[in-house]
Amino acid sequence: MEVFLIRVLQFILAISLLVLLHEGGHFFFSKLFGVRVEKFYVFFDWKFSLFKFKPKNSDTEYGIGWLPLGGYCKIAGMIDESFDTEQMKQPVQPWEFRAKPAWQRLLIMIGGVLVNFLLALFIYSMILFYWGDTYIPVKDMTLGMKFNQEAKSYGFKDGDILVGTENGAFKDFSADLYRDLSEAKRVDIIRQGKKMSISLPGDLNLLGMLKAEPSFVRPLIPAKVDSVIPNTPAEKIGIKAGDKILALNGSPVDSYNEFVDLLGRRQDLLDTATNSADSLKARTVTIVFGNESRRDTAITQLTPDLKLGFVVSSFAGLYQPITKEYGFLESIPAGIKYGWDVLAGYVNDMKYVFTADGAKSLGGFGAIGSLFPPVWDWYMFWKMTAFLSIILAFMNILPIPALDGGHVLFLIYEIITRRKPSETFMIRAEYVGFGILILLMLVANLNDILRWLGYL
């Protein structure tokens, strides 16, 4: 419960900050050009609000809604998500949005996206300035990688050390490495101390590589016991710190990765068990373990969640990370480059949304909340906030009616043709766009529920 609350608090704080500044971008340009803002809300106040106030001699009501689906500025003389059509029937006033020239209206509409994007670049810059960039270089992962059967079909072998592609060296083990592999036609590796190259098609399915079980590539972790958890099957059969797991049910174990994969097959048996006898059979395994001076074999029953009860060295514990530090002035261009790379990667991955697997991978509030760490970590909080800011900027600039990008599209049309779309068309487009957004939100959050129930 504590983990859930910590993640919820981080999510609410991040979203509140992003929505506040996004709407603040619209508010700033509206005030700059003398356009009246009637309402400024963080979250939606459908039917009622949690808090609201209107300063004396101000045209703007400020408040906090109860529905955390975003926020809004109700700008006078504009067709938006409030669907206030009555105002549009009145004579045009000089302080209304519709009374301003197209270029001013365009800046008002892109104000939120601009603020979110600049905010992300600023946060990334300050992260680099304060914490630096700490990572484990892929080339330093001397134990190499563990590959699945698809990767091996291209020529990879367990233990290969990845170096880079024709586009440059790998930095760290992250989604960027998978992306580079998916687009590579040549991968440079070190195998048993010798430099080699492997040819790839250049168009591997990134989503498939990430979702495969086991995944396309993982850092190889030795099956060496670091510690044994008390009162577990591992302790009862005599496994000790320093031992290696050598085999499971007759299958050789060359790494902890392999051990986890073999246990995954037991999970398949457990999932199909129809009675207690089948469950007991799925949990019963033969383990071979030992060290340089001994080799033991034991039959034991795994815990109900298929755990043996030992801990291995973590990935981070196997290698020494390096930290690149940045001065204040150095951090700004580095943060801009980092943010731009994040945006480019996100945009590049959008093509998978229109596939069956991509639609299943969509996530709602649950998926976003789970991205935050289970403990309060300011480094990860700000990194996730910057990432969400980029997502919010990109999603809002998409040319969908009801989003900023939809309004921008119509304004560009007006600037080019010197004709405004009719108010009837704008109202209908707003309804269509709002419907699309609701549908996407329902699909994303339904996916969260199905994942929680184990159907995805």
Side-chain angles (χ1 to χ4, degrees), residues 8-24 39-52 61-74 81-82 365 368 388 392 434 441:
V8 167
L9 287 173
Q10 290 180 90
F11 173 72
I12 291 176
L13 179 59
I15 291 298
S16 299
L17 175 66
L18 297 180
V19 169
L20 176 66
L21 293 176
H22 177 90
E23 300 305 329
K39 297 178 77 172
F40 184 96
Y41 267 72
V42 175
F43 304 149
F44 291 121
D45 61 330
W46 183 63
K47 299 296 185 182
F48 68 94
S49 61
L50 299 177
F51 168 79
K52 64 180 179 180
E61 176 185 296
Y62 302 88
I64 301 175
W66 65 272
L67 192 59
L69 301 180
Y72 71 101
C73 277
K74 188 175 185 305
E81 59 268 26
S82 67
F365 297 121
I368 296 172
L388 291 178
L392 184 60
F434 202 72
M441 195 170 296

Side-chain angles (χ1 to χ4, degrees), residues 88-160:
M88 306 303 290
K89 297 177 182 178
Q90 306 302 318
V92 177
Q93 301 298 324
W95 36 262
E96 287 186 330
F97 178 82
R98 54 182 170 166
K100 302 301 178 179
W103 69 270
Q104 291 185 4
R105 284 180 279 136
L106 182 63
L107 285 174
I108 291 172
M109 291 318 306
I110 66 172
V113 168
L114 181 63
V115 167
N116 278 134
F117 188 59
L118 292 177
L119 173 67
L121 300 183
F122 174 75
I123 292 176
Y124 282 132
S125 298
M126 292 303 97
I127 286 175
L128 293 176
F129 171 64
Y130 189 81
W131 283 285
D133 187 12
T134 300
Y135 62 96
I136 299 171
V138 176
K139 65 180 179 60
D140 292 348
M141 298 179 187
T142 53
L143 294 174
M145 299 288 165
K146 183 74 174 177
F147 299 90
N148 69 6
Q149 289 304 313
E150 181 191 3
K152 289 177 180 178
S153 71
Y154 292 112
F156 291 105
K157 290 185 177 181
D158 292 338
D160 286 349

Side-chain angles (χ1 to χ4, degrees), residues 8 13 65 89 94 99 131-132 195 230 270 276 303 310 332 341 417 422:
V8 167
L13 179 59
K89 297 177 182 178
W131 283 285
K195 294 182 179 180
L270 190 61
S276 57
T303 63
F310 68 90
I332 295 173
D341 289 343
T417 65
S422 70

Side-chain angles (χ1 to χ4, degrees), residues 306-433:
L306 296 184
K307 300 296 183 184
L308 187 56
F310 68 90
V311 178
V312 297
S313 295
S314 66
F315 165 61
L318 291 172
Y319 305 107
Q320 182 66 38
I322 65 170
T323 299
K324 184 176 181 180
E325 296 183 350
Y326 294 86
F328 181 77
L329 294 179
E330 292 176 308
S331 70
I332 295 173
I336 292 173
K337 182 181 183 303
Y338 189 99
W340 185 259
D341 289 343
V342 170
L343 176 63
Y346 184 76
V347 172
N348 182 66
D349 297 345
M350 280 296 292
K351 61 188 176 187
Y352 295 106
V353 172
F354 304 102
T355 66
D357 285 340
K360 292 178 183 178
S361 69
L362 288 174
F365 297 121
I368 296 172
S370 67
L371 295 175
F372 287 94
V375 295
W376 199 284
D377 183 327
W378 282 111
Y379 170 80
M380 288 304 301
F381 170 80
W382 287 117
K383 198 169 184 179
M384 277 306 308
T385 300
F387 179 62
L388 291 178
S389 192
I390 280 183
I391 292 177
L392 184 60
F394 176 73
M395 295 302 292
N396 262 284
I397 205 62
L398 291 177
I400 299 174
L403 291 178
D404 296 342
H407 292 284
V408 168
L409 178 65
F410 296 138
L411 281 166
I412 292 175
Y413 167 82
E414 179 184 338
I415 291 172
I416 294 173
T417 65
R418 298 187 179 181
R419 290 189 304 168
K420 284 186 179 182
S422 70
E423 290 181 5
T424 300
F425 171 82
M426 292 293 290
I427 292 170
R428 289 176 178 173
E430 196 77 12
Y431 275 114
V432 170

Side-chain angles (χ1 to χ4, degrees), residues 139-382:
K139 65 180 179 60
D140 292 348
M141 298 179 187
T142 53
L143 294 174
M145 299 288 165
K146 183 74 174 177
F147 299 90
N148 69 6
Q149 289 304 313
E150 181 191 3
K152 289 177 180 178
S153 71
Y154 292 112
F156 291 105
K157 290 185 177 181
D158 292 338
D160 286 349
I161 301 171
L162 296 178
V163 177
T165 71
E166 70 272 20
N167 295 318
F170 296 120
K171 179 187 174 186
D172 56 0
F173 190 84
S174 63
D176 287 337
L177 181 141
Y178 274 86
R179 190 176 293 109
D180 290 344
L181 285 174
S182 71
E183 298 172 352
K185 292 188 176 180
R186 189 196 79 236
V187 181
D188 300 323
I189 65 169
I190 296 175
R191 178 179 296 167
Q192 297 178 345
K194 297 180 180 179
K195 294 182 179 180
M196 299 178 59
S197 293
I198 291 175
S199 297
L200 290 180
D203 58 352
L204 294 177
N205 186 299
L206 175 61
L207 192 60
M209 294 169 68
L210 290 167
K211 294 185 68 175
E213 292 291 343
S215 55
F216 190 88
V217 57
R218 299 154 290 164
L220 192 149
I221 298 175
K224 185 176 182 179
V225 178
D226 187 64
S227 62
V228 178
I229 301 171
N231 303 315
T232 61
E235 184 185 55
K236 293 175 183 177
I237 63 176
I239 293 178
K240 302 182 184 302
D243 284 349
K244 290 183 178 180
I245 306 299
L246 303 173
L248 177 69
N249 288 340
S251 298
V253 172
D254 62 2
S255 63
Y256 183 66
N257 313 73
E258 184 72 20
F259 179 74
V260 171
D261 294 344
L262 291 172
L263 284 184
R265 299 176 194 176
R266 310 305 296 178
Q267 184 66 58
D268 294 338
L269 293 175
L270 190 61
D271 291 341
T272 57
T274 57
N275 52 54
S276 57
D278 289 341
S279 297
L280 184 61
K281 184 178 180 180
R283 290 170 49 205
T284 302
V285 295
T286 301
I287 302 284
V288 180
F289 59 94
N291 52 38
E292 289 79 2
S293 60
R294 79 178 208 285
R295 181 185 178 98
D296 296 325
T297 301
I299 298 175
T300 188
Q301 293 173 11
L302 303 173
T303 63
D305 57 349
L306 296 184
K307 300 296 183 184
L308 187 56
F310 68 90
V311 178
V312 297
S313 295
S314 66
F315 165 61
L318 291 172
Y319 305 107
Q320 182 66 38
I322 65 170
T323 299
K324 184 176 181 180
E325 296 183 350
Y326 294 86
F328 181 77
L329 294 179
E330 292 176 308
S331 70
I332 295 173
I336 292 173
K337 182 181 183 303
Y338 189 99
W340 185 259
D341 289 343
V342 170
L343 176 63
Y346 184 76
V347 172
N348 182 66
D349 297 345
M350 280 296 292
K351 61 188 176 187
Y352 295 106
V353 172
F354 304 102
T355 66
D357 285 340
K360 292 178 183 178
S361 69
L362 288 174
F365 297 121
I368 296 172
S370 67
L371 295 175
F372 287 94
V375 295
W376 199 284
D377 183 327
W378 282 111
Y379 170 80
M380 288 304 301
F381 170 80
W382 287 117

